[in-house]
Amino acid sequence: MDFLQPVLDGFGVVLAPNNLLYCLLGVLIGMLIGVLPGLGPAATIAILLPLTYGIEPVTAIIMLAGIFYGAQYGGTITSVLLRLPGEASSVVTVFDGYMLAKKGKAGTALGIAAIGSFIGGTIGIIGLTFLAPVVAGFALDFGPPEYAALALLGILLVATISNGSKTKALIAAAFGLLLATVGRDVFTGAERFTFGNLDLADGIDFVPVAMGLFGLGEILYNLEERHRAAKAPAKVANVWPSRADLKQSSGAIGRGSVLGFFLGILPGGGATISSLAAYAMEKKRAKDPSRFGKGAVEGVAGPETANNAAATSSFIPLLTLGIPANATMALMFGALLIQGVTPGPQLVDQHPDLFWGVVNSMYIGNILLLIMSIPLVGIFVKILRVRAAILAPITALITMLGAYTINNSMFDVVLVVVFGIIGYLMKKFGFEPGPLVLAFVLGSLLEANLRRSLLVLNGDLGGFFGRPISATLLVLFVVVAVWPMIQSLLARRKAAAAVDTFKTKENA
């Protein structure tokens, strides 16, 4: 009962009219953002960060969380009806969802996606409810050496597991670490990389960085992209799947829930990788893999379930360890810091109303999304027809106004423009902004705890290996760092062995 009491109190928090309203608002915005291609939850949360200043911490995080998992639902709609993924995690849904729509089964695809998303999200929340307090209890044994090792491992994992070039991800992460050092040294008071500018003396604020890279940068990049010709959306008939469809997709939903939950916890995992992994798993398990890409119901059920389960479970490392698992969680981390709340092992005990209020809001949010996902399809398709040339300037103006209102400072606006240009150039040349933001957020945590550790250990780096937890984390760091080189070496040996075998056969 001691465990259940704060959980029940959390329902009391989320059912307060104000919090319930912001939960509804968050999931609605999330669905809308999921429908609109290019913007995404990370950019939206970055743009809305200034609005959270005047809201209670628990209310603000409930809304931002709703935007994140609501976007997973919204991205499905355009993937199925228009062959246009509104969100990165819905790219895989295009393969079979659109083919089902062409066969006149758009309603079936959307219905299966909604049911799978609800089940995956709910299983993720149940896992979060029971696993998060255990992880937080374990993490109470963490001291500065453990936090330093964990931050170091988190930065490396995100940089190496990130989509695209690993070298570019590491370069972006290194730049993020460099930005984290700007400002006064918290231990000595010495100014670093300020170039005599008083506005930089307190360091670079997280909000302008996030709004620039994810907000303005995304807008500039998407405007440059060639606009696709408008397509007539497929007609939506009966949205309730048949018994045969439900039976066929039940295994995919179950497997997607488990796979998505565990991949969401991993740094760099998240909804996109989970949906890709779920699709690959279903195709591999299928008796007839050729069905996939031609309208297989499992090709919609698995990925849609997995991305929602992952969206929920990615809150576990953020709330219990203070380590963001992906770029969107890094923005949530920043939002909590803005509110004066530090995510980590103490959060469950020090802010139980916030912790359990946010967790339990996901139960309510998932129910709201299940109810709204189909009736709002027509409205979202109409919104898609609004030209980017109209939406982009309005979004950019909101971003600039938001940046200015934080500190009533034009310097923040300048920072948003600078990082917007950097974000645009990064996207253009194949650099993901996620590792940069994560390294920027974790950089100060890494530096502060590393220096505290060296003071405690009298400058002896070997002391990190004298503590079981920090030693384990550092060994994992070495394994993650060396593993790509081992993989490359094994691949080369395998290729060389194949060539030798071919030559032997040829000579014979």
Side-chain angles (χ1 to χ4, degrees):
M1 285 302 293
D2 290 341
F3 167 73
L4 287 176
Q5 192 55 50
V7 178
L8 295 173
D9 291 341
F11 278 110
V13 171
V14 72
L15 290 173
N18 192 42
N19 292 334
L20 203 56
L21 176 63
Y22 275 93
C23 180
L24 174 62
L25 184 63
V27 296
L28 270 174
I29 294 172
M31 285 185 73
L32 174 60
I33 293 309
V35 167
L36 293 173
L39 201 53
T44 307
I45 291 171
I47 292 167
L48 294 178
L49 278 178
L51 297 180
T52 63
Y53 277 80
I55 308 174
E56 287 293 316
V58 63
T59 308
I61 304 305
I62 283 173
M63 181 185 73
L64 297 180
I67 291 170
F68 179 45
Y69 59 82
Q72 313 309 321
Y73 275 78
T76 311
I77 296 169
T78 47
S79 293
V80 171
L81 300 183
L82 297 171
R83 204 180 184 182
L84 190 67
E87 170 57 23
S89 59
S90 298
V91 169
V92 188
T93 310
V94 168
F95 303 153
D96 288 283
Y98 185 69
M99 294 307 294
L100 282 168
K102 285 186 73 175
K103 293 177 181 179
K105 298 181 73 176
T108 300
L110 290 172
I112 285 287
I115 293 167
S117 296
F118 175 75
I119 293 172
T122 303
I123 289 174
I125 301 161
I126 293 169
L128 172 60
T129 302
F130 288 97
L131 186 60
V134 176
V135 176
F138 167 74
L140 285 172
D141 295 329
F142 279 33
E146 286 75 21
Y147 271 113
L150 186 64
L152 192 65
L153 178 63
I155 292 166
L156 181 67
L157 277 171
V158 172
T160 54
I161 298 175
S162 174
N163 298 328
S165 168
K166 304 294 181 286
T167 305
K168 289 180 177 179
L170 286 169
I171 292 170
F175 185 52
L177 286 173
L178 179 64
L179 290 174
T181 63
V182 174
R184 288 194 189 91
D185 187 317
V186 292
F187 288 88
T188 66
E191 292 190 359
R192 304 179 300 187
F193 305 112
T194 61
F195 307 103
N197 189 324
L198 290 175
D199 290 306
L200 290 173
D202 292 325
I204 298 174
D205 196 8
F206 170 78
V207 178
V209 174
M211 293 178 80
L213 288 174
F214 289 101
L216 191 59
E218 288 285 342
I219 293 166
L220 293 173
Y221 181 75
N222 289 328
L223 277 176
E224 189 188 44
E225 289 290 287
R226 187 176 63 187
H227 299 303
R228 300 182 188 184
K231 297 176 184 177
K235 291 182 180 179
V236 181
N238 182 23
V239 296
W240 189 253
S242 66
R243 187 175 295 180
D245 288 328
L246 286 170
K247 186 179 179 181
Q248 196 172 359
S249 58
S250 59
I253 289 173
R255 288 184 290 271
S257 298
V258 176
L259 181 67
F261 178 79
F262 286 106
L263 285 179
I265 297 172
L266 297 175
T272 304
I273 290 176
S274 299
S275 63
L276 289 165
Y279 188 84
M281 181 171 68
E282 292 309 315
K283 190 173 182 179
K284 192 173 183 180
R285 285 180 55 88
K287 292 179 181 178
D288 181 15
S290 63
R291 291 173 47 247
F292 283 75
K294 298 176 183 177
V297 177
E298 308 97 292
V300 174
E304 286 301 315
T305 305
N307 66 27
N308 280 271
T312 305
S313 65
S314 58
F315 280 87
I316 292 176
L318 172 72
L319 297 177
T320 59
L321 300 175
I323 300 295
N326 51 57
T328 308
M329 288 298 105
L331 295 170
M332 299 290 288
F333 185 96
L336 283 162
L337 292 179
I338 288 167
Q339 295 286 349
V341 177
T342 303
Q346 302 292 339
L347 186 65
V348 181
D349 294 327
Q350 292 181 355
H351 301 279
D353 57 333
L354 187 146
F355 183 89
W356 292 112
V358 170
V359 171
N360 291 343
S361 73
M362 297 180 191
Y363 288 107
I364 307 296
N366 259 290
I367 294 169
L368 291 172
L369 284 165
L370 181 64
I371 294 168
M372 297 186 302
S373 55
I374 303 301
L376 294 178
V377 166
I379 296 170
F380 289 138
V381 170
K382 286 178 182 176
I383 291 169
L384 269 173
R385 290 174 179 157
V386 179
R387 287 182 300 157
I390 296 171
L391 286 175
I394 294 171
T395 311
L397 180 62
I398 293 170
T399 304
M400 294 302 179
L401 286 172
Y404 179 77
T405 55
I406 297 168
N407 298 310
N408 292 329
S409 168
M410 280 303 297
F411 184 73
D412 286 342
V413 177
V414 172
L415 280 179
V416 170
V417 173
V418 170
F419 282 103
I421 295 169
I422 291 172
Y424 161 73
L425 292 173
M426 287 180 73
K427 293 278 285 185
K428 190 173 177 63
F429 292 104
F431 288 84
E432 287 294 324
L436 189 157
V437 172
L438 281 158
F440 177 70
V441 169
L442 294 175
S444 54
L445 178 70
L446 171 63
E447 182 189 10
N449 283 289
L450 178 61
R451 292 173 70 176
R452 286 193 190 103
S453 301
L454 291 174
L455 287 172
V456 171
L457 300 171
N458 295 317
D460 180 19
L461 287 171
F464 281 90
F465 294 94
R467 300 167 68 105
I469 298 174
S470 60
T472 304
L473 291 169
L474 287 173
V475 168
L476 283 172
F477 174 84
V478 173
V479 170
V480 172
V482 173
W483 182 245
M485 289 183 274
I486 295 173
Q487 278 185 311
S488 177
L489 184 64
L490 290 173
R492 264 185 253 163
R493 284 187 177 179
K494 191 175 179 181
V499 170
D500 290 340
T501 305
F502 178 75
K503 284 181 179 177
T504 304
K505 286 181 179 178
E506 237 185 8
N507 293 333

